[in-house]
Amino acid sequence: MLHRLHLLGFSAFERSTLASCVRLAATRFPGYVEVANFADADFLVADAEAPQALAAVLACERLADTVFVGRHAPEGAAAWMPRPLDALLLLRELDAIVALRATTLAPAAVATAWPPGVISTWPPETAAVAQVLPAPGEQALIVDDSEVASCYLARRLRRLGMPSVGARTSGEALERLARQRFEFVFVDVELGEHSELDGLALCRQLRRQPAPGAREAVLVLVSAHHGEVDRVRGALAGADAYLGKPLDDGELTRLVSRPPRAAAPAARH
């Protein structure tokens, strides 16, 4: 399994060095690949001396996913390393984070992420977490024009063991759904001026003419407007569930662990 990295900040020379290192690391274990989208990344590598990079990490509450490079790192960061940039040291730090997290995953998730024999013990206290984790291989699509909001939801899904990818517009969402199957599709109601369809219209289209990746997906509308009328409009558009902003962690956990469309999992087999 390739772990996805996103680079924040850095000079052109440092970015080139890091990108070359990541490309070479795709053939090792653990493997890594660079992604262009902030919300699609499993881990972030950030320039600790670039204020915008630090602000982006804090805004999305991803300190625990970030390796900082520079003179210092904020409290709660996953790892820190000084300059000059050492690509091999970076890989060692990332490997340590991956190994640590593997010991806190559910057994099925560990089996998909690590070869036999790499993880030999399983902490019994994680049994309760395993009961709410989705099945291995499940993935969500987050359709939201706000990178911060998309990152916020992606982080909470990751805590539940569900990776996700993002789409900024309705058109990008349809393109992704044409290529890939998703178990959940989270759609913001207001998708901004760059989207041809708003969230309700996109939901209706996916119900009338479902893209291949949405045929079995649970469609979830997400909005800051979540009164009774808003929820009825969502149901009429064909949504399976409706989440209000700010997100309630308990409601999200229940939704992921007990999807409203009971027939969907059976249809996958």
Side-chain angles (χ1 to χ4, degrees):
M1 183 178 73
L2 292 176
H3 301 277
R4 298 165 296 181
L5 304 179
H6 180 71
L7 307 179
L8 286 167
F10 300 108
S11 66
F13 175 77
E14 286 185 325
R15 290 186 70 89
S16 176
T17 300
L18 288 169
S20 297
C21 174
V22 172
R23 283 195 296 271
L24 292 173
T27 59
R28 64 193 287 278
F29 180 86
Y32 303 96
V33 61
E34 184 182 1
V35 295
N37 195 324
F38 187 103
D40 290 347
D42 301 308
F43 301 106
L44 307 174
V45 181
D47 185 344
E49 295 157 31
Q52 290 183 335
L54 176 59
V57 172
L58 293 176
C60 290
E61 299 183 1
R62 296 201 63 179
L63 277 174
D65 300 327
T66 305
V67 178
F68 283 92
V69 179
R71 288 192 297 268
H72 54 78
E75 184 178 355
W80 166 82
M81 53 182 288
R83 282 186 166 89
L85 188 63
D86 185 333
L88 293 179
L89 176 57
L90 173 62
L91 290 179
R92 288 198 294 270
E93 293 289 349
L94 289 167
D95 290 351
I97 298 169
V98 171
L100 179 63
R101 293 191 177 186
T103 64
T104 60
L105 292 173
V110 171
T112 63
W114 292 83
V118 175
I119 301 297
S120 58
T121 60
W122 174 247
E125 63 269 20
T126 59
V129 177
Q131 294 176 5
V132 301
L133 289 177
E138 291 190 350
Q139 192 171 33
L141 173 65
I142 301 173
V143 189
D144 198 313
D145 63 325
S146 166
E147 184 168 0
V148 172
S150 180
C151 180
Y152 186 83
L153 175 54
R155 178 173 176 80
R156 273 142 185 79
L157 289 173
R158 190 179 297 109
R159 288 176 179 172
L160 298 174
M162 177 171 286
S164 62
V165 296
R168 292 287 170 265
T169 66
S170 59
E172 185 181 347
L174 291 171
E175 289 177 4
R176 281 192 176 272
L177 289 164
R179 302 192 307 265
Q180 183 178 354
R181 179 174 64 83
F182 294 93
E183 275 65 32
F184 286 84
V185 179
F186 294 87
V187 183
D188 187 50
V189 171
E190 299 175 359
L191 291 179
E193 60 182 10
H194 297 295
S195 286
E196 182 179 350
L197 305 173
D198 66 11
L200 291 169
L202 177 60
C203 194
R204 284 193 292 267
Q205 176 166 327
L206 292 175
R207 283 293 176 242
R208 288 196 306 266
Q209 297 176 316
R215 293 187 191 282
E216 302 170 5
V218 176
L219 297 183
V220 184
L221 284 171
V222 185
S223 176
H225 307 289
H226 48 92
E228 189 61 34
V229 173
D230 299 298
R231 291 177 180 271
V232 170
R233 291 176 64 199
L236 292 175
D240 298 299
Y242 199 108
L243 292 177
K245 293 182 178 180
L247 292 172
D248 181 278
D249 284 340
E251 188 176 6
L252 180 62
T253 300
R254 288 190 294 272
L255 174 64
V256 171
S257 60
R258 296 190 294 274
R261 296 175 62 202
R268 300 179 191 132
H269 304 292

